[in-house]
Amino acid sequence: MAKHRIGWLPGDGIGAEVLAAARVVLDRLRLDAEYHEGDIGWEYWRREGDAFPQRTVDLLKSVDVAMFGAVTSKPVRTAEAELTPALQGKGLVYRSPIVRMRQLFDLYVCLRPCKAYPGNPLNYKEGIDLVIFRENTEDLYAGVEFGTVPEELATILGRLSKNFTPFQKLPGDEYAISCKINTRAGSERIARQAFEFAKKSGRKRVTIVHKANVVRATDGLFLESAREVAAEYPEIAVGDANVDAVCMWLLKNPFNYDVLVAPNLYGDIISDLCAQMVGGLGFGCSGNIGSELAVFEPTHGSAPKYAGLNKVNPIATILAAKMMLDWLGEEDKASRLEDAVAAVVAEGVVRTYDMGGTNTTSEMAEAVAARL
Ligand code: NAI
Ligand code: MG
């Protein structure tokens, strides 16, 4: 197998520490890889006015896969004020680099496995093993938003939608519009990934998550598209449910679910809920997967208050590295890594603060590496 070219994007805060921990285990696995470090995050926004500089975009074009730590994001007003003085007043607008990356590279699958490793004191219940497929490029995250609604738009909406009338009377700065945009192709392809995964991994059931009874146009399209794909997989049980009900039922009985597929926002929400049931942010791992590139990351952010303290749990990032190995076709190393994590969790000797222990980030990485 050719040497893997891996983009390495630590980002801000604890991003560097958790990626360093992942590197300890990858090196111990003797993964044949070269790592190409890239600049991303708040510091580049401040200094250059771009949190995701073009050189990093180019770097991602040249690698097979990437690991991403976390970035700090702040509200628009704070973002402008923190720019280096030479860049202020130029109308630069902060945009989340990870959302941009997903769109630019069409990383349309957000894959979030949530497995309760036996013996984790943070498990909500032992035995939970859920996999979420979140659509990653469309929906309310399409980025088509109006903080102030232009009159042109108000006029068109007033003309086309009877239901818009009460809003049309408001001044444009008294309301805001974020567009939820879902396509048939986008809904079909995420559903297909979920069903293909279920088929290949011997999973029994896929649940389509939506709110089609209220958000009729977009979620209706998502549900209809996913149902059409489901018909091609008669061997897999299919169900659908409203997102609010799913949140309740997941807590009541997580064992009624297996694979879940959802539009972007609902997928984001239910995957955090599921991650919390299997240990919280220290265990939540995620893959942003497209047809050309995939970027793996912990789901947590930059946790500024823990930055530089060597304190947070690196398991989320180590599990993200495990997902990367699977994606690279290094299944053997991936399963060795997962077994090592499971062994350390089961043993319960090395635990970071979130698990009720006092061990450091690097001690946890070493403990996993020692089991490889
Ligand atoms: P966060 O996920 O960074 O941290 C919240 C809290 O969760 C931490 O204070 C800590 O108590 C706990 N935590 C996080 N990671 C942990 C780990 N590995 N081990 C143990 N405990 C852990 O969320 P927060 O504080 O809301 O956001 C901080 C910054 O990160 C913000 O600027 C936010 O915009 C950004 N963010 C970035 C994300 C990304 O890069 N993908 C995702 C979420 C937030
Ligand atoms: Mg989230």
Side-chain angles (χ1 to χ4, degrees), residues 44-332:
Y44 300 95
W45 162 255
R46 281 163 48 105
R47 281 191 258 147
E48 304 176 20
D50 192 352
F52 186 32
Q54 185 59 40
R55 60 183 178 282
T56 309
V57 175
D58 293 339
L59 177 111
L60 287 179
K61 285 181 186 162
S62 74
V63 295
D64 306 324
V65 71
M67 288 284 298
F68 167 67
V71 293
T72 298
S73 295
K74 296 185 190 174
V76 178
R77 278 182 193 79
T78 326
E80 163 83 22
E82 284 199 28
L83 279 172
T84 181
L87 292 173
Q88 290 187 14
K90 293 195 167 178
L92 292 171
V93 178
Y94 179 85
R95 289 172 59 212
S96 158
I98 184 72
V99 174
R100 258 167 79 199
M101 190 191 299
R102 287 167 180 159
Q103 288 183 344
L104 197 57
F105 289 93
D106 200 23
L107 307 176
Y108 66 95
V109 179
C110 185
L111 174 57
R112 294 189 164 172
C114 297
K115 187 190 283 191
Y117 290 96
N120 182 353
L122 299 171
N123 285 342
Y124 174 63
K125 286 178 181 163
E126 291 289 346
I128 296 173
D129 185 8
L130 299 161
V131 179
I132 291 123
F133 280 77
R134 161 191 172 195
E135 199 291 322
N136 217 17
T137 56
E138 314 192 327
D139 199 51
L140 265 171
Y141 293 54
V144 183
E145 302 201 89
F146 303 90
T148 299
V149 181
E151 225 174 285
E152 265 174 287
L153 180 59
T155 308
I156 294 171
L157 291 176
R159 184 152 48 82
L160 297 181
S161 168
K162 288 189 205 90
N163 293 329
F164 186 70
T165 321
F167 299 106
Q168 201 184 0
K169 297 189 181 110
L170 294 171
D173 55 2
E174 286 298 318
Y175 65 117
I177 295 180
S178 298
C179 297
K180 177 167 155 79
I181 304 177
N182 301 72
T183 66
R184 187 181 300 280
S187 306
E188 275 173 13
R189 67 181 180 172
I190 189 68
R192 189 166 301 285
Q193 289 291 327
F195 281 94
E196 275 299 311
F197 170 85
K199 187 175 162 184
K200 284 192 189 122
S201 55
R203 299 239 170 198
K204 302 277 177 288
R205 182 175 192 83
V206 175
T207 304
I208 306 161
V209 180
H210 60 85
K211 186 75 185 180
N213 58 338
V214 179
V215 191
R216 306 179 78 88
T218 46
D219 283 357
L221 178 63
F222 185 86
L223 177 57
E224 181 188 299
S225 309
R227 280 256 172 222
E228 272 171 31
V229 172
E232 295 172 37
Y233 299 83
E235 68 277 31
I236 294 163
V238 56
D240 75 81
N242 284 315
V243 60
D244 46 347
V246 161
C247 289
M248 199 172 68
W249 289 109
L250 270 169
L251 277 184
K252 188 164 161 65
N253 192 355
F255 306 107
N256 284 346
Y257 296 91
D258 190 346
V259 176
L260 298 109
V261 61
N264 208 335
L265 177 64
Y266 309 148
D268 197 5
I269 295 168
I270 58 168
S271 60
D272 270 18
L273 175 67
C274 294
Q276 188 57 40
M277 294 198 286
V278 300
L281 289 169
F283 287 82
C285 55
S286 174
N288 304 279
I289 303 169
S291 45
E292 304 284 322
L293 180 73
V295 180
F296 296 90
E297 55 164 332
T299 57
H300 62 69
S302 61
K305 71 177 179 193
Y306 292 112
L309 300 182
N310 193 23
K311 188 168 167 161
V312 296
N313 191 347
I315 288 181
T317 314
I318 290 172
L319 291 172
K322 180 258 172 205
M323 294 174 75
M324 176 185 77
L325 291 170
D326 273 324
W327 192 82
L328 287 170
E330 297 275 8
E331 286 92 357
D332 173 56

